[in-house]
Amino acid sequence: VSILSAGGACGILLASFVSYILQQDILPQNSWRLAYLLGFSLSMVGYFIRKKLHDSGEFTAIKDRKRIPLFEGLKEYKLESVSTFLVAAANGITFYFGSVFLAKHLNTVKGHQDYGYVSLLISGTMFIALPFFGYASDKFDRKNYQIVTAMIMSIAGIFLINQITFASSNSSIVILSIVYTLCGAMLIGGINIYAAEIFPTN
């Protein structure tokens, strides 16, 4: 399931590549609209893939019930719902801070060069590392794995963001960004399956 998260990192890499291509001076002024056409084409591919997938027998047996699973889950599984909300927030903060905001933060604080490479570096490293850490989360008790990796990311994140912000060289920024990404991938790698496993099928 961590491959789903890796797909998000791959999407950022693809978007960065498309953005770079469409900003070239040799292209017409309105070429940015081609990105929407590409996005629409990819969404259609996703739609047809989903149409061909079959639901599990357990899901098929209960999907025609009149109760709304979201409301049922929020009512009967309050602790699990809060836990899912919190790990989803941790996922979003960790991933998007590194892959989107950190380069803008460095450009604002340092300002003497373009740090866009940091977003590409973090997204690329995340894309490679997520399946590995998803596999690692399968080998341990999932709840304890998430607790430990959340603590590691919380402590390392605060320390590493400060170190990256005030790093004196590009090589230091690269090394610290990779360490940040590996700590983040440790956390994110098991989140999706954790959120699915803590609820019963219904």
Side-chain angles (χ1 to χ4, degrees):
V1 178
S2 62
I3 293 171
L4 296 174
S5 296
C10 185
I12 289 177
L13 289 172
L14 178 62
S16 299
F17 176 72
V18 169
S19 174
Y20 174 77
I21 296 294
L22 295 179
Q23 290 178 27
Q24 299 305 304
D25 293 335
I26 60 171
L27 293 174
Q29 187 80 19
N30 294 328
S31 61
W32 57 269
R33 293 179 179 175
L34 295 172
Y36 290 97
L37 183 60
L38 178 62
F40 176 75
S41 302
L42 289 173
S43 67
M44 293 310 297
V45 169
Y47 172 78
F48 286 113
I49 289 173
R50 178 62 188 100
K51 288 293 284 182
K52 297 290 183 185
L53 292 176
H54 300 288
D55 292 319
S56 69
E58 294 88 353
F59 180 79
T60 304
I62 62 172
K63 74 175 183 178
D64 293 327
R65 295 181 323 151
K66 299 297 182 211
R67 298 173 77 179
I68 300 172
L70 174 63
F71 297 145
E72 184 180 342
L74 290 171
K75 181 180 176 185
E76 296 180 22
Y77 301 96
K78 293 179 179 67
L79 184 60
E80 292 85 351
S81 297
V82 170
S83 178
T84 300
F85 174 79
L86 293 174
V87 296
N91 178 7
I93 291 166
T94 302
F95 181 75
Y96 290 107
F97 181 84
S99 61
V100 176
F101 181 72
L102 185 56
K104 294 182 187 307
H105 173 66
L106 290 172
N107 287 333
T108 301
V109 173
K110 293 180 175 288
H112 60 273
Q113 72 176 71
D114 182 15
Y115 292 94
Y117 71 89
V118 172
S119 294
L120 297 176
L121 174 69
I122 289 176
S123 297
T125 306
M126 193 70 79
F127 175 69
I128 294 166
L130 277 172
F132 171 78
F133 286 113
Y135 177 77
S137 78
D138 289 339
K139 299 300 177 189
F140 301 98
D141 176 70
R142 188 105 49 211
K143 180 181 176 184
N144 290 333
Y145 178 87
Q146 290 306 138
I147 290 170
V148 170
T149 57
M151 290 190 317
I152 290 170
M153 186 62 218
S154 298
I155 295 166
I158 293 168
F159 171 77
L160 289 168
I161 290 166
N162 187 51
Q163 293 299 309
I164 293 168
T165 301
F166 299 107
S168 57
S169 67
N170 282 342
S171 59
S172 296
I173 291 173
V174 166
I175 292 167
L176 292 166
S177 295
I178 289 172
V179 173
Y180 171 89
T181 307
L182 293 175
C183 291
M186 246 192 301
L187 170 66
I188 296 170
I191 280 179
N192 288 334
I193 194 65
Y194 168 76
E197 286 177 342
I198 61 175
F199 292 97
T201 304
N202 64 320

